[in-house]
Amino acid sequence: MPKDRPELPPVEELLTAAVTAVGGVERPGQVKMAQAVRDAVESEEHLAVQAGTGTGKSLAYLVPAIRHAAESGEAVVVSTATIALQRQLVDRDLPRLADALESLLPHRPEFAILKGRRNYLCRHKMADGMPEDEDDQLFDPREVSATGRMVQRIQEWANETETGDRDEIVPGVSDQAWRQFSVTARECLGVQRCPSGADCFAELARERAGEADIVVTNHALLAIDAMEDFAVLPEHDVVVVDEAHELVDRVTSVVTGELSESTVSLAARRAGRLIEQGVADRLQEAGEDLRALLTVAPPGRVDTLPGSLGMTLALVRDAAFACITALGPRNKDKDDPENAGLRKAAFTALDEVHDTAQRMLDAFGPAAGGDEAEDDAEDTGDSRDSERGANGGGTGDARSEEVHRAEVVWLEEGRGRVPPALRVAPLSVGGMLRDKLFGDRTVVLTSATLALGGSFDSLARQWGLPAGDWTGLDVGSPFDHPRRGILYVATHLPQPGRDGLPEAYVDEIAELIEAAGGRTLGLFSSMRAAKAATEALRERLDVPLLCQGDDSTSQLVKQFAGDPATCLFGTLSLWQGVDVPGPSLTLVIIDRIPFPRPDDPLASARQRHVAATGGNGFMAVAATHAALLLAQGAGRLLRSMDDRGVVAVLDPRLATARYSGFLLNSLPPFWRTTDPAKVRDALRRLTAGS
Ligand code: SF4
């Protein structure tokens, strides 16, 4: 890329050329967004920009991004939450843009996609056949044959692939099968020492990214690049975070630690190949103790560290440390190239176990993290605040503990052959993002849904955006929401209860679907409710009714889009992932306000923490979460300029509760009603007219 700054056409001219080339129509919101992105890049001020469906937002940020890359010689990183958007950018938008802008820029814009190392086939692991270290799940004959078939498919694909990118394998393969052909960044031998380094797929992807103007990646790798001391992404001074409403969840996943019998036993098996067996056995036994303890403990948040758990965590930590010590110096690999891969894999697993156990102990304060497990038990063996409510009631001591708490630990129940697992995650990733992501780059955050309750503040706080260092912009939507859509709240229905879907809800759904002649996307807050509704309505309605889980979600959405009479019911992934323009989707039904479950450990801990620090925990966490999902769900209705329809929310609290204003202000400005007869008439008219 050129290093001296060339004179380039203005963003507006480039955008016009791009829009003309792709056969689109330039929209005021798109131009406004492109100008705002250009201004943010020039002024080095962070920007949060909400751009409704149909704005053409990817072009609105890609054009100024490409211009900046051509002018500065620095790459611009574009991060997405989903593979679908990544593919849209790399397979559709960027190639068209490169064609359209080539003649207006000093060189043809180059782009590349870069993912984390574990997404690429590791040639060394494949060639050298590093011993498999899978756990006992493989002894289940059904698992063995299913995994075996996938392994065979990977091997066949490996002979042909040019990128080594796991996402090329269709249908996808399980993590268990893929792990046998991939390494994490920590397990990688390093390109200099690896015998396959010259042909390494991950290294080739990095090389391509190093020469690109636009590097497309995902939120996880963006977070890793920001957190690690070494660079994972090529040097860049501007980041565009698309699907920014997902950023906090994705970053939280990256920094969530897990400890279970499986993770401990994996580390012990890897160590056992290289050190005295007795030392590795002690770690294995500590893992078994952990399983025994976790199996009888109640799942959910762990507020105070029981003495027995403190002791077991310390035992696991110390046994892992003994294995690390027994492995000897880390740089010993030089003299032992044959075992370099095995040693690296063992160190990685042992470090993970040791550090996670220590992190869990630290989450309960310095006493719990001490060296002597027995002391920990004495210091922390009570459960004085276990009865506090999620909003931070309880003693002054407990409140002050809550204020200082930085991480939350919880227990996930075991399922089938998967043992129970202890997890640890930060209460907030805002501080980390502020220091590591927003510190020395300009960041543009965008999505169709960022302004909650009419303001960007809720998400800006979660992202840790420094106050006064960013601007927010809502460029609106090209859709005429009040004329094209109705928001119906069924205020005559009872509030949703804990005992499944009320009968009155089933009746209401049946009447709405009959009026719409099918054409319904049912978004439920739980899989249980989606299944209950499907079962009850299949008997009553004579339209085809699909339920998530009947087939792959993409196959179900295809079927739903292909036949207007068909209805599709489901839960979380449908709230955000369905894009069906046209008459097949005329009615979106939402059964209840999607608050986080009361037993969601992270959400309840975050809520309690906000309350303990003087804020409104419910509004900052639960209402914000619900507003985001509601807006995403309602956003499924209008996907093209010709679409019309109804969003029906059965939960009356959306019109009556004290927080309803905040939620309603987060939704598109549909025409609103609470009259069921009016809505059914409107649906009948719409159906007759299409
Ligand atoms: S450099 Fe790392 S990822 Fe690449 S082939 Fe070698 S071990 Fe595998």
Side-chain angles (χ1 to χ4, degrees):
M1 284 185 286
K3 292 290 173 199
D4 44 340
R5 298 201 165 222
E7 272 293 312
L8 298 177
V11 156
E12 293 83 352
E13 187 183 328
L14 295 172
L15 184 63
T16 304
V19 171
T20 311
V22 301
V25 193
E26 207 169 71
R27 305 211 160 107
Q30 188 181 42
V31 178
K32 208 167 159 191
M33 178 170 168
Q35 290 167 333
V37 175
R38 173 203 59 201
D39 294 348
V41 169
E42 281 174 5
S43 63
E44 299 181 4
E45 187 178 75
H46 307 303
L47 171 71
V49 54
Q50 174 166 285
T53 309
T55 306
K57 79 173 147 53
S58 54
L59 252 54
Y61 63 69
L62 287 174
V63 168
I66 287 174
R67 188 181 186 281
H68 173 70
E71 193 177 44
S72 67
E74 294 257 355
V76 171
V77 169
V78 176
S79 175
T80 77
T82 61
I83 293 176
L85 180 57
Q86 239 170 51
R87 287 206 172 126
Q88 181 203 307
L89 294 174
V90 173
D91 298 342
R92 201 190 73 182
D93 296 344
L94 282 163
R96 285 161 154 197
L97 266 178
D99 289 345
L101 302 183
E102 183 172 7
S103 60
L104 298 168
L105 296 173
H107 66 279
R108 182 181 169 82
E110 299 288 337
F111 56 89
I113 189 161
L114 188 60
K115 303 175 184 182
R117 191 164 292 259
R118 72 173 71 195
N119 292 282
Y120 297 96
L121 182 79
C122 168
R123 288 197 193 266
H124 175 59
K125 194 161 185 176
M126 175 127 185
D128 219 43
M130 282 190 216
E132 290 164 15
D133 46 24
E134 296 307 328
D135 57 25
D136 295 344
Q137 287 175 50
L138 278 183
F139 291 113
D140 179 334
R142 283 164 309 173
E143 302 260 3
V144 170
S145 54
T147 305
R149 280 195 297 276
M150 286 187 205
V151 164
Q152 203 180 341
R153 276 208 289 129
I154 298 172
Q155 279 165 333
E156 285 161 13
W157 163 83
N159 292 327
E160 297 161 9
T161 179
E162 286 175 10
T163 66
D165 182 344
R166 174 184 176 176
D167 290 329
E168 274 184 5
I169 310 173
V170 181
V173 291
S174 68
D175 287 346
Q176 196 180 34
W178 181 249
R179 262 203 305 271
Q180 298 176 50
F181 297 88
S182 63
V183 291
T184 62
R186 293 212 169 123
E187 289 164 351
C188 167
L189 290 178
V191 63
Q192 307 296 350
R193 287 165 46 216
C194 173
S196 305
D199 301 319
C200 170
F201 286 122
E203 293 298 329
L204 291 174
R206 271 176 65 105
E207 242 168 64
R208 280 194 296 272
E211 288 161 9
D213 299 276
I214 302 291
V215 178
V216 178
T217 189
N218 53 40
H219 294 351
L221 197 63
L222 181 71
I224 291 166
D225 181 68
M227 283 177 323
E228 297 288 356
D229 296 333
F230 53 90
V232 180
L233 294 166
E235 211 169 299
H236 59 280
D237 58 356
V238 175
V239 176
V240 179
V241 181
D242 200 343
E243 301 178 313
H245 60 277
E246 294 261 14
L247 183 65
V248 166
D249 281 355
R250 301 298 166 116
V251 174
T252 303
S253 296
V254 169
V255 292
T256 296
E258 180 182 314
L259 212 53
S260 71
E261 189 197 15
S262 290
T263 55
V264 177
S265 155
L266 174 73
R269 282 199 303 276
R270 286 183 177 180
R273 297 186 191 112
L274 300 160
I275 61 172
E276 192 192 316
Q277 195 57 46
V279 181
D281 284 349
R282 278 199 286 285
L283 180 59
Q284 184 79 39
E285 284 157 20
E288 285 159 18
D289 288 354
L290 183 69
R291 180 181 188 138
L293 204 61
L294 299 186
T295 303
V296 293
R301 210 174 59 215
V302 183
D303 284 333
T304 51
L305 184 67
S308 52
L309 182 56
M311 273 198 285
T312 307
L313 285 174
L315 201 66
V316 168
R317 174 196 64 191
D318 296 344
F321 189 72
C323 292
I324 292 169
T325 310
L327 275 172
R330 290 178 191 251
N331 61 8
K332 200 170 126 189
D333 297 354
K334 291 203 295 298
D335 318 320
D336 187 10
E338 262 181 39
N339 279 331
L342 290 178
R343 285 174 55 76
K344 192 91 195 206
F347 271 123
T348 307
L350 291 165
D351 287 343
E352 188 73 33
V353 167
H354 173 271
D355 296 353
T356 308
Q358 183 64 56
R359 187 177 157 194
M360 285 170 177
L361 289 164
D362 289 346
F364 296 95
D371 289 335
E372 298 296 329
E374 289 76 8
D375 291 345
D376 298 339
E378 283 168 17
D379 289 342
T380 60
D382 65 316
S383 57
R384 64 183 179 276
D385 68 348
S386 62
E387 289 177 5
R388 284 181 301 157
N391 271 320
T395 64
D397 275 359
R399 190 178 289 273
S400 128
E401 249 176 52
E402 200 54 56
V403 171
H404 293 106
R405 176 161 294 178
E407 300 221 274
V408 57
V409 177
W410 72 96
L411 172 59
E412 296 262 336
E413 239 176 324
R415 281 202 179 82
R417 290 175 170 271
V418 180
L422 215 49
R423 298 225 160 99
V424 58
L427 275 167
S428 163
V429 294
M432 192 200 86
L433 288 174
R434 184 177 55 238
D435 295 345
K436 310 278 187 179
L437 180 66
F438 298 117
D440 50 7
R441 314 164 172 82
T442 306
V443 184
V444 174
L445 301 121
T446 185
S447 163
T449 322
L450 292 183
L452 301 176
S455 153
F456 291 93
D457 291 350
S458 302
L459 284 181
R461 249 194 314 274
Q462 291 189 5
W463 293 327
L465 263 181
D469 200 13
W470 63 280
T471 48
L473 172 72
D474 182 357
V475 298
S477 159
F479 302 149
D480 187 353
H481 286 96
R483 286 170 185 275
R484 315 289 306 184
I486 296 174
L487 173 66
Y488 161 56
V489 185
T491 46
H492 63 285
L493 290 179
Q495 284 197 12
R498 282 168 183 255
D499 312 320
L501 206 60
E503 196 51 41
Y505 279 39
V506 178
D507 294 341
E508 182 79 20
I509 297 172
E511 285 172 301
L512 288 167
I513 291 180
E514 273 167 357
R519 303 161 197 261
T520 302
L521 179 67
L523 301 177
F524 292 84
S525 48
S526 71
M527 209 49 224
R528 202 161 65 117
K531 282 189 172 149
T534 310
E535 228 166 83
L537 290 164
R538 269 187 183 146
E539 291 171 10
R540 284 173 64 166
L541 298 173
D542 55 5
V543 292
L545 230 172
L546 307 172
C547 186
Q548 200 177 350
D550 289 350
D551 201 334
S552 74
T553 302
S554 59
Q555 192 55 38
L556 291 172
V557 173
K558 219 172 175 180
Q559 253 178 284
F560 170 64
D563 171 28
T566 296
C567 301
L568 174 58
F569 288 3
T571 185
L572 207 59
S573 59
L574 299 188
W575 284 78
Q576 310 198 53
V578 174
D579 184 10
V580 177
S584 285
L585 204 171
T586 302
L587 171 62
V588 175
I589 295 178
I590 292 173
D591 71 328
R592 65 191 294 164
I593 298 171
F595 291 121
R597 290 162 50 106
D599 58 357
D600 179 323
L602 205 45
S604 61
R606 284 175 170 167
Q607 190 164 321
R608 202 168 65 166
H609 184 74
V610 173
T613 48
N616 184 330
F618 172 78
M619 290 306 289
V621 180
T624 299
H625 173 96
L628 198 58
L629 264 184
L630 266 183
Q632 287 284 323
R636 301 306 100 205
L637 183 67
L638 303 185
R639 308 302 297 176
S640 76
M641 297 298 276
D642 299 328
D643 285 354
R644 310 174 80 106
V646 171
V647 173
V649 179
L650 308 187
D651 187 338
R653 293 174 298 175
L654 184 60
T656 57
R658 67 190 154 74
Y659 49 78
S660 62
F662 175 77
L663 297 180
L664 287 168
N665 280 337
S666 309
L667 296 177
F670 296 122
W671 186 79
R672 290 181 197 163
T673 183
T674 56
D675 184 339
K678 264 192 194 150
V679 168
R680 289 196 294 266
D681 282 350
L683 283 169
R684 280 188 206 102
R685 279 198 305 276
L686 278 177
T687 312
S690 63

PDB file of all heavy atoms in Angstrom, residues 70-86:
ATOM      1  N   ALA A  70      -6.636   3.509   1.662  1.00  0.00           N
ATOM      2  CA  ALA A  70      -5.871   3.931   0.477  1.00  0.00           C
ATOM      3  C   ALA A  70      -5.055   5.188   0.780  1.00  0.00           C
ATOM      4  O   ALA A  70      -3.944   5.361   0.299  1.00  0.00           O
ATOM      5  CB  ALA A  70      -6.836   4.189  -0.684  1.00  0.00           C
ATOM      6  N   GLU A  71      -5.612   6.044   1.604  1.00  0.00           N
ATOM      7  CA  GLU A  71      -4.949   7.320   1.894  1.00  0.00           C
ATOM      8  C   GLU A  71      -3.815   7.158   2.901  1.00  0.00           C
ATOM      9  O   GLU A  71      -2.744   7.742   2.760  1.00  0.00           O
ATOM     10  CB  GLU A  71      -5.998   8.289   2.451  1.00  0.00           C
ATOM     11  CG  GLU A  71      -5.530   9.723   2.501  1.00  0.00           C
ATOM     12  CD  GLU A  71      -6.644  10.632   2.983  1.00  0.00           C
ATOM     13  OE1 GLU A  71      -7.332  10.269   3.956  1.00  0.00           O
ATOM     14  OE2 GLU A  71      -6.824  11.703   2.378  1.00  0.00           O
ATOM     15  N   SER A  72      -4.057   6.332   3.946  1.00  0.00           N
ATOM     16  CA  SER A  72      -3.097   6.249   5.046  1.00  0.00           C
ATOM     17  C   SER A  72      -2.100   5.098   4.889  1.00  0.00           C
ATOM     18  O   SER A  72      -1.058   5.091   5.526  1.00  0.00           O
ATOM     19  CB  SER A  72      -3.854   6.056   6.365  1.00  0.00           C
ATOM     20  OG  SER A  72      -4.478   4.773   6.369  1.00  0.00           O
ATOM     21  N   GLY A  73      -2.483   4.112   4.087  1.00  0.00           N
ATOM     22  CA  GLY A  73      -1.619   2.931   3.988  1.00  0.00           C
ATOM     23  C   GLY A  73      -1.809   1.963   5.132  1.00  0.00           C
ATOM     24  O   GLY A  73      -1.137   0.947   5.228  1.00  0.00           O
ATOM     25  N   GLU A  74      -2.713   2.266   6.057  1.00  0.00           N
ATOM     26  CA  GLU A  74      -2.998   1.364   7.190  1.00  0.00           C
ATOM     27  C   GLU A  74      -4.272   0.579   6.891  1.00  0.00           C
ATOM     28  O   GLU A  74      -5.229   1.133   6.353  1.00  0.00           O
ATOM     29  CB  GLU A  74      -3.273   2.186   8.457  1.00  0.00           C
ATOM     30  CG  GLU A  74      -2.100   2.966   8.961  1.00  0.00           C
ATOM     31  CD  GLU A  74      -1.450   2.300  10.162  1.00  0.00           C
ATOM     32  OE1 GLU A  74      -1.998   1.295  10.626  1.00  0.00           O
ATOM     33  OE2 GLU A  74      -0.403   2.790  10.591  1.00  0.00           O
ATOM     34  N   ALA A  75      -4.294  -0.675   7.291  1.00  0.00           N
ATOM     35  CA  ALA A  75      -5.513  -1.465   7.103  1.00  0.00           C
ATOM     36  C   ALA A  75      -6.622  -0.967   8.032  1.00  0.00           C
ATOM     37  O   ALA A  75      -6.348  -0.364   9.063  1.00  0.00           O
ATOM     38  CB  ALA A  75      -5.227  -2.924   7.423  1.00  0.00           C
ATOM     39  N   VAL A  76      -7.854  -1.210   7.631  1.00  0.00           N
ATOM     40  CA  VAL A  76      -8.994  -0.992   8.519  1.00  0.00           C
ATOM     41  C   VAL A  76      -9.557  -2.375   8.845  1.00  0.00           C
ATOM     42  O   VAL A  76      -9.723  -3.212   7.955  1.00  0.00           O
ATOM     43  CB  VAL A  76     -10.074  -0.116   7.847  1.00  0.00           C
ATOM     44  CG1 VAL A  76     -11.337  -0.075   8.698  1.00  0.00           C
ATOM     45  CG2 VAL A  76      -9.531   1.293   7.624  1.00  0.00           C
ATOM     46  N   VAL A  77      -9.813  -2.606  10.132  1.00  0.00           N
ATOM     47  CA  VAL A  77     -10.360  -3.897  10.563  1.00  0.00           C
ATOM     48  C   VAL A  77     -11.876  -3.781  10.680  1.00  0.00           C
ATOM     49  O   VAL A  77     -12.381  -2.820  11.261  1.00  0.00           O
ATOM     50  CB  VAL A  77      -9.743  -4.320  11.919  1.00  0.00           C
ATOM     51  CG1 VAL A  77     -10.491  -5.511  12.508  1.00  0.00           C
ATOM     52  CG2 VAL A  77      -8.273  -4.651  11.736  1.00  0.00           C
ATOM     53  N   VAL A  78     -12.585  -4.730  10.072  1.00  0.00           N
ATOM     54  CA  VAL A  78     -14.040  -4.776  10.191  1.00  0.00           C
ATOM     55  C   VAL A  78     -14.390  -6.055  10.935  1.00  0.00           C
ATOM     56  O   VAL A  78     -14.030  -7.153  10.504  1.00  0.00           O
ATOM     57  CB  VAL A  78     -14.725  -4.775   8.802  1.00  0.00           C
ATOM     58  CG1 VAL A  78     -16.236  -4.932   8.961  1.00  0.00           C
ATOM     59  CG2 VAL A  78     -14.404  -3.489   8.050  1.00  0.00           C
ATOM     60  N   SER A  79     -15.077  -5.905  12.068  1.00  0.00           N
ATOM     61  CA  SER A  79     -15.365  -7.070  12.895  1.00  0.00           C
ATOM     62  C   SER A  79     -16.866  -7.362  12.905  1.00  0.00           C
ATOM     63  O   SER A  79     -17.675  -6.444  13.004  1.00  0.00           O
ATOM     64  CB  SER A  79     -14.871  -6.764  14.315  1.00  0.00           C
ATOM     65  OG  SER A  79     -15.212  -7.787  15.183  1.00  0.00           O
ATOM     66  N   THR A  80     -17.225  -8.637  12.790  1.00  0.00           N
ATOM     67  CA  THR A  80     -18.633  -9.006  12.797  1.00  0.00           C
ATOM     68  C   THR A  80     -18.869 -10.070  13.879  1.00  0.00           C
ATOM     69  O   THR A  80     -17.932 -10.731  14.323  1.00  0.00           O
ATOM     70  CB  THR A  80     -19.079  -9.615  11.451  1.00  0.00           C
ATOM     71  OG1 THR A  80     -18.604 -10.969  11.376  1.00  0.00           O
ATOM     72  CG2 THR A  80     -18.557  -8.844  10.262  1.00  0.00           C
ATOM     73  N   ALA A  81     -20.147 -10.234  14.244  1.00  0.00           N
ATOM     74  CA  ALA A  81     -20.472 -11.267  15.239  1.00  0.00           C
ATOM     75  C   ALA A  81     -20.781 -12.592  14.563  1.00  0.00           C
ATOM     76  O   ALA A  81     -20.527 -13.645  15.119  1.00  0.00           O
ATOM     77  CB  ALA A  81     -21.662 -10.819  16.085  1.00  0.00           C
ATOM     78  N   THR A  82     -21.339 -12.531  13.355  1.00  0.00           N
ATOM     79  CA  THR A  82     -21.821 -13.775  12.742  1.00  0.00           C
ATOM     80  C   THR A  82     -21.037 -14.129  11.475  1.00  0.00           C
ATOM     81  O   THR A  82     -20.531 -13.250  10.769  1.00  0.00           O
ATOM     82  CB  THR A  82     -23.308 -13.637  12.346  1.00  0.00           C
ATOM     83  OG1 THR A  82     -23.432 -12.575  11.397  1.00  0.00           O
ATOM     84  CG2 THR A  82     -24.178 -13.356  13.543  1.00  0.00           C
ATOM     85  N   ILE A  83     -21.020 -15.435  11.199  1.00  0.00           N
ATOM     86  CA  ILE A  83     -20.376 -15.907   9.970  1.00  0.00           C
ATOM     87  C   ILE A  83     -21.181 -15.414   8.771  1.00  0.00           C
ATOM     88  O   ILE A  83     -20.629 -15.090   7.726  1.00  0.00           O
ATOM     89  CB  ILE A  83     -20.299 -17.444   9.981  1.00  0.00           C
ATOM     90  CG1 ILE A  83     -19.347 -17.877  11.076  1.00  0.00           C
ATOM     91  CG2 ILE A  83     -19.824 -17.994   8.637  1.00  0.00           C
ATOM     92  CD1 ILE A  83     -19.262 -19.366  11.261  1.00  0.00           C
ATOM     93  N   ALA A  84     -22.513 -15.322   8.939  1.00  0.00           N
ATOM     94  CA  ALA A  84     -23.354 -14.887   7.818  1.00  0.00           C
ATOM     95  C   ALA A  84     -22.936 -13.500   7.329  1.00  0.00           C
ATOM     96  O   ALA A  84     -22.795 -13.277   6.118  1.00  0.00           O
ATOM     97  CB  ALA A  84     -24.816 -14.884   8.239  1.00  0.00           C
ATOM     98  N   LEU A  85     -22.715 -12.583   8.244  1.00  0.00           N
ATOM     99  CA  LEU A  85     -22.312 -11.244   7.825  1.00  0.00           C
ATOM    100  C   LEU A  85     -20.889 -11.252   7.262  1.00  0.00           C
ATOM    101  O   LEU A  85     -20.587 -10.574   6.276  1.00  0.00           O
ATOM    102  CB  LEU A  85     -22.438 -10.246   8.986  1.00  0.00           C
ATOM    103  CG  LEU A  85     -22.043  -8.808   8.652  1.00  0.00           C
ATOM    104  CD1 LEU A  85     -22.858  -8.245   7.478  1.00  0.00           C
ATOM    105  CD2 LEU A  85     -22.201  -7.889   9.857  1.00  0.00           C
ATOM    106  N   GLN A  86     -20.030 -12.057   7.881  1.00  0.00           N
ATOM    107  CA  GLN A  86     -18.665 -12.168   7.361  1.00  0.00           C
ATOM    108  C   GLN A  86     -18.691 -12.605   5.899  1.00  0.00           C
ATOM    109  O   GLN A  86     -18.000 -12.045   5.051  1.00  0.00           O
ATOM    110  CB  GLN A  86     -17.945 -13.246   8.161  1.00  0.00           C
ATOM    111  CG  GLN A  86     -16.721 -12.757   8.862  1.00  0.00           C
ATOM    112  CD  GLN A  86     -16.203 -13.802   9.832  1.00  0.00           C
ATOM    113  OE1 GLN A  86     -16.020 -14.963   9.454  1.00  0.00           O
ATOM    114  NE2 GLN A  86     -15.973 -13.400  11.048  1.00  0.00           N
TER     115      GLN A  86
END
